[in-house]
Amino acid sequence: MNIAGYTVLDVIYEGINTVIYRAAKEPEHTCVIIKTLKAEYPTIEELTKLRHEFKILQPLDIDGILKPIALESYQNGLALILPDFKGEALTSFFSAQALELSQFLQIGIQLASTLAQLHENNIIHKDIKPHNILIDSTTGQVNIIDFSIASRLSRENKTVNNSSSL
């Protein structure tokens, strides 16, 4: 992988449609995460999902959400540039160590707070799972990732209960 201004350090995750790299941004030598599309010629749908993820995340200022740095052209596709959180997936974190109840509850509180703030901003993630929750084992900070299928609600639909009593 060769994106101008970045040196790839390693592959963090390789999925069906995407590859996520840890890289260094030159000349600052700051670490970033780069999410790219795997296909040499990505489909319009794949490109749209990456643009959508950038548009959902860009205006947010929420603890627990990684705000994108940039969306850059890369070969025939796009690359989403995010700050490097140095976290690990929740599944890996739980399998690597036994948690005390207070640690477990602290993770739950952070997740609930982040989700509440997302919902206050009319955003529904739609893919909450341990793989999309990262935790920094040194700080305990939790982040939710992968907003490729998230939705921004433009208005709330209120339902009215019209049931009549007999």
Side-chain angles (χ1 to χ4, degrees):
M1 184 187 127
N2 187 14
I3 295 179
Y6 298 93
T7 302
V8 172
L9 303 174
D10 64 345
V11 175
I12 296 173
Y13 173 77
E14 188 167 346
I16 296 170
N17 298 319
T18 59
V19 181
I20 300 175
Y21 301 95
R22 177 166 283 121
K25 181 173 172 50
E26 305 297 338
E28 301 92 358
H29 299 292
T30 56
C31 283
V32 296
I33 299 296
I34 301 175
K35 180 177 182 178
T36 63
L37 298 168
K38 201 170 182 178
E40 184 177 350
Y41 296 99
T43 65
I44 296 294
E45 181 182 338
E46 289 172 323
L47 293 168
T48 301
K49 278 186 177 181
L50 211 51
R51 279 191 191 99
H52 172 74
E53 185 169 0
F54 179 78
K55 286 179 183 177
I56 289 277
L57 293 172
Q58 187 59 38
L60 297 179
D61 190 15
I62 298 173
D63 285 339
I65 303 298
L66 299 175
K67 188 169 184 158
I69 297 168
L71 183 66
E72 300 188 6
S73 294
Y74 165 64
Q75 294 177 351
N76 300 308
L78 297 169
L80 179 63
I81 314 298
L82 299 158
D84 187 1
F85 173 63
K86 298 202 190 301
E88 61 183 305
L90 197 58
T91 49
S92 301
F93 180 76
F94 281 155
S95 66
Q97 59 189 337
L99 292 180
E100 293 180 17
L101 180 59
S102 62
Q103 293 171 301
F104 182 80
L105 292 174
Q106 189 59 35
I107 292 168
I109 290 167
Q110 285 184 65
L111 285 172
S113 174
T114 301
L115 287 171
Q117 291 176 68
L118 281 172
H119 294 172
E120 286 172 8
N121 283 276
N122 299 320
I123 295 171
I124 307 298
H125 186 278
K126 293 185 176 178
D127 197 20
I128 296 293
K129 58 186 176 186
H131 179 74
N132 288 337
I133 299 169
L134 300 181
I135 185 163
D136 182 333
S137 59
T138 58
T139 66
Q141 175 66 37
V142 176
N143 278 302
I144 298 173
I145 60 167
D146 194 359
F147 284 74
S148 59
I149 63 169
S151 292
R152 180 180 297 279
L153 302 176
S154 57
R155 63 186 174 93
E156 183 178 341
N157 291 328
K158 299 205 185 253
T159 58
V160 178
N161 186 356
N162 288 331
S163 63
S164 59
S165 56
L166 297 175

